[in-house]
């Protein structure tokens, strides 16, 4: 069996042998996050430890809070995968996760868990769209936290989310390249930052297409469906708006929906009206939920790296705890267009 050396560990991590040596000997010159990473890799490779692993400093609890609006518990397929990524990454650094759902109708004093005010956690990962008052309450406590897929646009706060703009741009390009030049964006862009970025990517793709192509694409927006801190909603006017554009004399031939749940709502109504997908109209969603692959037709969508978002958020909060004054990061993780059966190629292509 191959002997595991310091150099082999260093090569695996892409660091120097000297750094590995210092970390494994608990040298205080090596920060805790780096040290935990090297210890984890050494253990994984089967390196025989000559000293006990450095424990979490006595001044820390070894716990991290994960905060999310209570309504998000209804969409645990998406957020559950983000949470799994967080939990797995924290475990690699000997931290535990405490999940707290927030009833956003309450004031921050009543809604935030006692673990925050009583300093029973070392930091927090805030997921989704908590009211600004909650973020202000966290900031007032001088408490380290990072954001995941939030509406808050603040350059002083670490934030990780999917590259919603580019994902939407690529999805819209797929429709255009398939011959669709009458398109609709489905969703209320102002309900969330992610929806707004997806709307912007949709519009930019059409603008670029019209600038480069001899043909001209047109677009409409169908509002009345979206997400908020209270979860998914579908307004009464949504069906009327969708009907107006898909039953017109020159109907839209393709819909780009702001997320998969919006696509599911659209497809249900289209089916009720006897409009088939993709025979009469093509549809693309966003998020790549499990149902997209088992429904008929299978839904073309944009895959969001949910577990990777969680893992990156965990790395960011550990970095923030270790180095409170480090420059904030805004991280966009790439999405992937998943082509399935819900997009038809028109004869004019």
């Amino acid at each position: 069996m191959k002997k595991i050396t310091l150099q082999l560990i260093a090569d695996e991590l892409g660091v120097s042998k000297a750094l590995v040596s210092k970390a494994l000997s608990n040298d205080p010159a090596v920060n805790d996050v780096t040290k935990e990473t090297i210890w984890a890799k050494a253990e994984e490779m089967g390196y025989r430890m000559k000293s006990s692993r450095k424990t979490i400093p006595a001044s820390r609890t070894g716990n991290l809070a994960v905060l999310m609006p209570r309504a998000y518990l209804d969409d645990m397929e998406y957020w559950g995968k983000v949470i799994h990524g967080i939990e797995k990454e924290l475990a690699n650094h000997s931290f535990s996760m405490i999940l707290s759902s927030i009833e956003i109708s309450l004031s921050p004093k009543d809604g935030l868990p006692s673990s925050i005010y009583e300093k029973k956690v070392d930091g927090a990962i805030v997921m989704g769209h908590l009211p600004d008052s909650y973020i202000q309450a966290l900031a007032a406590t001088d408490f380290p936290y990072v954001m995941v897929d939030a509406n808050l646009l603040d350059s002083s706060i670490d934030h990780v989310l999917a590259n919603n703009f580019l994902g939407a741009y690529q999805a819209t390009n797929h429709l255009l390249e398939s011959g669709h030049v009458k398109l609709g964006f489905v969703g209320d862009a102002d309900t969330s930052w992610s929806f707004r970025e997806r709307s912007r990517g949709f519009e930019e793709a059409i603008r670029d297409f019209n600038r480069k192509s001899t043909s001209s694409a047109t677009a409409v927006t169908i509002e009345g469906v979206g997400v908020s801190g209270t979860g998914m909603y579908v307004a009464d006017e949504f069906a009327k708006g969708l009907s107006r554009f898909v039953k017109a004399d020159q109907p839209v031939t393709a819909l780009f929906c702001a997320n998969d749940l919006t696509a599911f709502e659209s497809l249900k109504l289209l089916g009720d009206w006897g409009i088939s997908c993709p025979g009469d109209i093509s549809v693309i969603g966003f998020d790549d939920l499990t149902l997209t692959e088992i429904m008929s037709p299978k839904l073309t969508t944009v895959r969001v790296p949910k577990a990777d978002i969680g893992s990156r958020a965990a790395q960011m909060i550990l970095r923030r705890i270790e180095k409170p004054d480090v420059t904030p990061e805004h991280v966009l993780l790439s999405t992937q267009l998943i082509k399935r059966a819900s997009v038809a190629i028109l004869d004019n292509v």
Side-chain angles (χ1 to χ4, degrees):
M1 188 173 180
K2 189 175 183 180
K3 182 180 179 181
I4 304 302
T5 65
L6 297 183
Q7 188 61 58
L8 284 174
I9 298 170
D11 292 343
E12 280 287 318
L13 293 170
V15 299
S16 69
K17 178 181 175 181
L19 179 59
V20 172
S21 178
K22 289 181 179 180
L24 296 182
S25 61
N26 289 329
D27 190 321
V30 182
N31 70 64
D32 288 338
V33 174
T34 299
K35 200 175 294 185
E36 289 290 334
T37 300
I38 292 173
W39 274 94
K41 176 56 69 173
E43 288 181 349
E44 176 189 319
M45 295 177 67
Y47 181 76
R48 293 187 64 183
M49 306 297 181
K50 295 182 179 178
S51 60
S52 61
R53 183 171 182 170
K54 184 183 185 301
T55 57
I56 294 169
S59 59
R60 297 183 189 161
T61 67
N63 297 320
L64 269 297
V66 175
L67 311 177
M68 61 188 291
R70 185 159 298 164
Y72 285 19
L73 295 175
D74 294 332
D75 186 18
M76 284 305 288
E77 183 189 345
Y78 183 97
W79 292 106
K81 290 179 179 179
V82 177
I83 291 168
H84 178 72
I86 293 172
E87 189 171 29
K88 185 176 179 180
E89 184 67 29
L90 290 180
N92 289 337
H93 299 279
S94 299
F95 273 82
S96 298
M97 182 191 78
I98 301 176
L99 177 63
S100 297
S101 61
I102 305 294
E103 178 50 66
I104 63 172
S105 62
L106 299 175
S107 68
K109 181 179 179 180
D110 296 322
L112 282 173
S114 59
S115 59
I116 301 291
Y117 296 115
E118 296 173 7
K119 304 295 184 182
K120 293 180 179 178
V121 290
D122 299 315
I125 297 173
V126 182
M127 302 201 303
H129 320 308
L130 284 183
D132 290 350
S133 59
Y134 276 81
I135 307 305
Q136 292 164 3
L138 285 174
T141 63
D142 195 27
F143 188 76
Y145 63 95
V146 302
M147 310 292 294
V148 175
D149 196 22
N151 278 356
L152 189 68
L153 305 180
D154 189 333
S155 60
S156 69
I157 301 174
D158 295 303
H159 195 179
V160 58
L161 63 167
N163 194 332
N164 295 292
F165 170 83
L166 188 55
Y169 186 97
Q170 292 171 334
T172 307
N173 263 343
H174 178 49
L175 293 174
L176 293 166
E177 290 168 356
S178 298
H180 298 278
V181 292
K182 297 182 184 299
L183 291 82
F185 176 83
V186 182
D188 290 353
D190 290 338
T191 64
S192 70
W193 175 248
S194 59
F195 271 38
R196 192 184 315 172
E197 284 295 278
R198 293 168 192 181
S199 174
R200 189 169 70 90
F202 171 80
E203 294 170 354
E204 189 69 16
I206 293 172
R207 189 177 298 114
D208 286 350
F209 175 83
N210 287 338
R211 187 170 62 247
K212 299 173 184 177
S213 175
T214 54
S215 57
S216 178
T218 59
V220 299
T221 298
I222 303 168
E223 298 182 330
V225 60
V227 296
S228 69
T230 54
M232 188 77 186
Y233 69 83
V234 180
D236 293 339
E237 63 267 22
F238 171 59
K240 295 178 181 178
L242 181 63
S243 176
R244 173 188 171 193
F245 291 111
V246 300
K247 295 181 179 180
D249 292 337
Q250 292 185 315
V252 297
T253 65
L255 300 175
F256 172 61
C257 300
N259 68 2
D260 289 339
L261 295 177
T262 304
F264 300 158
E265 291 289 340
S266 301
L267 287 166
K268 180 180 181 300
L269 288 171
L270 293 174
D272 291 344
W273 300 330
I275 298 172
S276 68
C277 171
D280 298 318
I281 191 164
S282 295
V283 178
I284 293 183
F286 206 111
D287 287 339
D288 192 32
L289 301 181
T290 301
L291 184 57
T292 60
E293 195 169 10
I294 61 177
M295 63 191 298
S296 181
K298 294 182 179 180
L299 183 67
T300 297
T301 186
V302 179
R303 178 171 295 162
V304 173
K306 308 170 193 67
D308 290 340
I309 287 175
S311 176
R312 192 70 180 89
Q315 293 168 8
M316 291 169 75
I317 188 60
L318 294 174
R319 169 180 175 267
R320 177 60 52 192
I321 292 169
E322 183 67 28
K323 299 180 179 180
D325 298 323
V326 71
T327 302
E329 293 183 322
H330 283 193
V331 176
L332 295 179
L333 296 186
S334 295
T335 58
Q336 179 186 1
L337 178 64
I338 306 298
K339 298 178 182 179
R340 297 195 181 107
S342 64
V343 175
I345 299 178
L346 299 187
D347 294 337
N348 58 321
V349 176

